[in-house]
Amino acid sequence: MKSFTSKYISVFLSILALSGCLSGQRPPVSISPKLDKRVYQETQLPINVGLYIEPRLRSYVQEAPIKQHEAGAQFYTFPNFVFPFGEPLSLKIEEMSKIIFKKIVVLDNLQNKAYEMSEALDGILTVALKNSDIELYIEQSVWRAIGRHNLSITATFLDPKQNKIWESDIAVEGKGLDFVTSRVEQEWWMTTGPRFGPAVDDSIQQITYELAQKITTSKEILAYIHKEKR
């Protein structure tokens, strides 16, 4: 039985190689996170805020190789998986901000003072990427694919004159898991390989919720609002 399984895996990988999955360019991983429903339960802050997401975060794309560590297992070369997660993460931060603040204005440049004249802002929220580490594994013995995404950002809340009121680092670990089944063997495993996107979806969902929670419970931000609204 063990010999049959090994032969099956070898044949299966050979088919993948011939179909272009194990060599050449791989299309970007599909990333489609959802907003954590708990965000809607956070108390909305009664302020108008400018939201500035750093360009590096907005356009961030990361490549990650597949790791194979099983002793005695045959080693195969897979092309790197490409994760363009900067844009979907930025969009979820914008979506979350529209819920927890009375109003947001998306800013493309903190040096442009025109926003101060065109919008009456009570503060500015900036978000920057601190670190991203994506790990992908294949366990050949059970033909299982595991994805982990360790993601961290730095969020800063400023007053309209850009004096710092609050700052926090937020870190999460997203996870994803996929098994080969008879159905997927006939579908995406034969064309695009394992689905590692859910690990990144999970990290984005977690980090947007953690960011919302930290902002709405920040003693510094709440004290600032109380002072400004008196």
Side-chain angles (χ1 to χ4, degrees):
M1 183 67 181
K2 184 176 180 181
S3 175
F4 174 78
T5 302
S6 298
K7 289 181 179 179
Y8 171 77
I9 292 175
S10 297
V11 171
F12 180 66
L13 287 170
S14 297
I15 295 173
L16 285 174
L18 291 173
S19 67
C21 293
L22 306 186
S23 61
Q25 294 297 315
R26 179 186 299 281
V29 174
S30 176
I31 300 173
S32 53
K34 296 180 180 179
L35 194 66
D36 194 309
K37 293 181 179 179
R38 291 175 294 174
V39 172
Y40 293 94
Q41 299 172 7
E42 298 296 323
T43 301
Q44 187 182 76
L45 302 180
I47 53 175
N48 299 334
V49 173
L51 174 62
Y52 176 71
I53 299 175
E54 291 194 348
R56 175 172 175 264
L57 171 54
R58 281 196 177 277
S59 60
Y60 199 79
V61 177
Q62 185 169 354
E63 291 191 18
I66 289 182
K67 298 179 180 180
Q68 303 166 79
H69 294 309
E70 289 183 279
Q74 184 174 349
F75 182 81
Y76 297 92
T77 301
F78 294 80
N80 288 352
F81 282 72
V82 180
F83 296 86
F85 72 84
E87 182 178 3
L89 172 55
S90 299
L91 291 174
K92 287 303 166 185
I93 292 173
E94 290 182 14
E95 184 179 345
M96 176 275 297
S97 299
K98 292 177 181 178
I99 295 169
I100 67 168
F101 296 117
K102 180 181 177 181
K103 180 181 180 181
I104 70 160
V105 178
V106 178
L107 308 176
D108 58 6
N109 188 346
L110 283 180
Q111 305 308 315
N112 184 355
K113 300 298 182 178
Y115 69 81
E116 293 183 359
M117 300 177 63
S118 61
E119 299 287 346
L121 299 181
D122 300 301
I124 301 170
L125 175 66
T126 72
V127 183
L129 179 67
K130 184 178 182 183
N131 188 54
S132 174
D133 182 26
I134 298 175
E135 295 184 336
L136 312 176
Y137 302 89
I138 282 190
E139 296 178 346
Q140 293 182 29
S141 59
V142 291
W143 207 234
R144 179 174 67 172
I146 303 170
R148 293 190 179 93
H149 185 201
N150 291 292
L151 175 65
S152 60
I153 59 175
T154 299
T156 308
F157 187 83
L158 312 168
D159 70 13
K161 294 183 179 180
Q162 299 190 24
N163 298 308
K164 187 186 296 184
I165 305 298
W166 167 87
E167 186 171 81
S168 180
D169 292 333
I170 303 164
V172 300
E173 181 185 42
K175 297 179 181 179
L177 181 66
D178 258 326
F179 288 93
V180 168
T181 68
S182 59
R183 180 179 65 83
V184 296
E185 286 168 9
Q186 297 299 320
E187 298 175 8
W188 49 263
W189 275 87
M190 296 297 292
T191 55
T192 61
R195 291 179 62 247
F196 290 116
V200 177
D201 292 341
D202 186 34
S203 66
I204 292 176
Q205 181 173 329
Q206 287 188 55
I207 210 161
T208 48
Y209 170 67
E210 292 292 333
L211 176 57
Q213 190 175 51
K214 285 204 170 190
I215 290 172
T216 55
T217 60
S218 165
K219 294 180 180 179
E220 294 88 348
I221 295 177
L222 293 176
Y224 170 76
I225 294 173
H226 178 73
K227 179 181 177 181
E228 292 298 309
K229 296 300 181 180
R230 282 191 304 180

